[in-house]
Amino acid sequence: MRFLVSREKLCEAVTNLSRAVATKATFPVLEGIHMTATKDGLKMMAYNLEVGMTKTIDITCAEEGSIVFKAKLLGDILRSLSGETVSFEVNDRLVCKIKSESTMFDIMGMPAEDFPEMPTIDDCERIIFPCETLKSMVRQTVFACAAADAQKPILTGLLFDIAEDSVKIVGVDGFRLAVRKENIRLGKNISFVVSAKTIAEAVKIIGDNDENIEFFIGRRHIALEVGGYSIISRKIEGEFINYKKIMPSSYATTAVANSRELVSIIERISLIINDQIKTTMRCKITNEDITFSCATAVGKVTDVYKTEITGDEFEIGINNRFLTDALRACETDDITVNFNGPFSSIIILPKEGDDFIYMLMPMRLKAE
């Protein structure tokens, strides 16, 4: 296999494909990127048995062939080179000469036939999604999904709830919930759950000139195409929470707030809270203000936020990190924070409209 390629284009492709490469895999080939050089271009694949990604770039091919390279090593080499072009020459023993200007590496590759076959999608639904809208909606919901190693896989995914004239993306981890709504018409009525990590990595690939991202929804897999990349992932099976049913229809207490001002207060409170000292933040709500406080082994802090509040007075415990995540995700300064007493969930809404809903479960307060 022999070919010449732009170092910048190959480096960009390797960086993006590395998002689908396994780390510390049982089979070393899963830590690699599969490359096939032909007259039509260099087809590159990464697949960690859960998420796969492909990309084809232009090359000058002198001899066709296939090989697998360790993704991290290849990326490090390409970033270290200074030339505009890079030549690859692979012999029968899978030793590859990588040369750019005066620099030359000899590295071992892996057999292409050891690389697993990526799944394909048949009989699929096609949806075209505006890129900027998807980026915004994912950013405002992905933080509420459970970690990849959660006991309930369904909680590690984002729900796409698509109606004729609106789209909702929902994330939940059992302690908090995020719903983002957009009034766009995609012409479909369909719901599916896909790995939050897959979607988060996909939106990172979106370039400044990319207007749309295509979804292909099959029975068991979902594929996304954007910027010349194709990403495929298994759908997450299971019953997603009925988020519409758990939303309260009225509130006993409502506080008008500025999201950025609240973030500043909670960041100050959080200075005495860390992973080793997990202490609930107290919020005492009156008709005039909200008093935030916390006491740990490090010390004690209190801050008062004066604002317009209507309804009952009470004290509630809130996870400081969960509240900060929700407030930072708000794409508006003007919000309302709504309560139904100390033992019911906290609901954050925009002051006007219904573009997003954030729900947090209260935390248990210990006697001071």
Side-chain angles (χ1 to χ4, degrees):
M1 183 170 84
R2 288 188 296 125
F3 63 89
L4 186 69
V5 63
S6 161
R7 185 190 67 84
E8 183 179 358
K9 288 183 178 179
L10 182 58
C11 188
E12 179 187 19
V14 169
T15 299
N16 286 329
L17 285 163
S18 294
R19 305 178 192 278
V21 169
T23 56
K24 298 180 180 179
T26 306
F27 303 103
V29 73
L30 296 178
E31 299 177 25
I33 293 176
H34 182 289
M35 293 184 173
T36 299
T38 69
K39 303 295 183 183
D40 296 327
L42 181 68
K43 183 178 181 180
M44 308 170 68
M45 295 188 295
Y47 183 41
N48 60 19
L49 301 183
E50 292 184 5
V51 179
M53 190 181 301
T54 63
K55 170 73 171 178
T56 300
I57 61 174
D58 293 332
I59 59 171
T60 302
C61 181
E63 184 179 340
E64 297 185 349
S66 298
I67 195 170
V68 178
F69 291 117
K70 282 276 188 177
K72 185 179 185 307
L73 177 60
L74 181 60
D76 289 344
I77 289 173
L78 292 171
R79 283 186 287 271
S80 75
L81 298 175
S82 56
E84 292 185 3
T85 60
V86 185
S87 67
F88 284 71
E89 184 175 344
V90 181
N91 65 22
D92 294 339
R93 292 178 290 115
L94 299 181
V95 177
C96 179
K97 293 184 183 295
I98 302 175
K99 186 175 181 180
S100 180
E101 294 185 336
S102 62
T103 306
M104 185 168 69
F105 287 87
D106 278 6
I107 64 171
M108 281 297 301
M110 291 177 280
E113 56 268 24
D114 291 349
F115 199 81
E117 185 177 349
M118 285 178 55
T120 57
I121 295 182
D122 298 317
D123 300 326
C124 59
E125 294 271 7
R126 178 173 174 264
I127 294 172
I128 299 177
F129 216 112
C131 283
E132 287 304 314
T133 301
L134 182 66
K135 286 171 69 173
S136 170
M137 296 181 78
V138 169
R139 187 191 73 82
Q140 289 186 272
T141 51
V142 71
F143 68 89
C145 295
D149 58 354
Q151 291 185 348
K152 293 183 178 180
I154 196 73
L155 299 182
T156 68
L158 280 173
L159 169 69
F160 281 70
D161 192 1
I162 301 172
E164 282 289 337
D165 55 359
S166 68
V167 177
K168 290 180 182 176
I169 297 181
V170 186
V172 61
D173 66 1
F175 301 98
R176 54 183 169 170
L177 179 142
V179 181
R180 174 71 162 82
K181 178 185 175 184
E182 192 73 30
N183 292 320
I184 54 176
R185 188 175 183 85
L186 299 182
K188 301 286 184 180
N189 279 292
I190 190 170
S191 292
F192 56 89
V193 180
V194 65
S195 163
K197 182 179 179 182
T198 298
I199 295 296
E201 295 296 348
V203 298
K204 291 177 184 176
I205 294 173
I206 294 174
D208 294 337
N209 297 323
D210 294 324
E211 294 184 2
N212 296 308
I213 183 169
E214 290 185 276
F215 282 70
F216 298 89
I217 303 106
R219 287 184 303 166
R220 300 179 63 182
H221 292 85
I222 293 172
L224 302 91
E225 292 189 1
V226 62
Y229 291 89
S230 179
I231 305 159
I232 190 165
S233 176
R234 285 199 303 263
K235 290 167 73 173
I236 301 179
E237 302 297 334
E239 187 175 351
F240 202 84
I241 187 171
N242 188 343
Y243 67 95
K244 298 174 184 176
K245 190 175 181 179
I246 64 174
M247 293 294 177
S249 57
S250 60
Y251 307 104
T253 306
T254 294
V256 176
N258 179 288
S259 59
R260 287 186 295 176
E261 291 175 359
L262 284 185
V263 167
S264 296
I265 289 175
I266 297 162
E267 285 179 340
R268 290 193 288 271
I269 300 291
S270 300
L271 291 174
I272 64 169
I273 305 172
N274 55 43
D275 291 338
Q276 287 74 39
I277 308 172
K278 294 182 179 179
T279 304
T280 301
M281 180 175 66
R282 290 176 175 268
C283 299
K284 187 175 182 180
I285 299 161
T286 70
N287 289 330
E288 297 179 352
D289 55 45
I290 303 175
T291 300
F292 296 88
S293 64
C294 187
T296 71
V298 175
K300 185 176 181 179
V301 60
T302 302
D303 210 329
V304 179
Y305 183 69
K306 292 188 175 298
T307 188
E308 177 187 341
I309 301 173
T310 58
D312 302 337
E313 298 184 1
F314 61 96
E315 189 173 37
I316 190 171
I318 303 177
N319 182 300
N320 63 303
R321 183 172 62 84
F322 287 0
L323 181 56
T324 303
D325 288 345
L327 292 170
R328 282 179 175 161
C330 298
E331 290 193 345
T332 178
D333 292 342
D334 298 321
I335 61 170
T336 62
V337 186
N338 306 276
F339 308 88
N340 279 310
F343 307 113
S344 296
S345 54
I346 302 102
I347 307 292
I348 300 172
L349 300 167
K351 190 175 179 182
E352 303 290 340
D354 59 351
D355 287 351
F356 61 81
I357 301 172
Y358 298 124
M359 176 184 289
L360 313 176
M361 297 299 294
M363 304 290 288
R364 183 176 179 179
L365 287 173
K366 295 181 180 179
E368 290 186 312

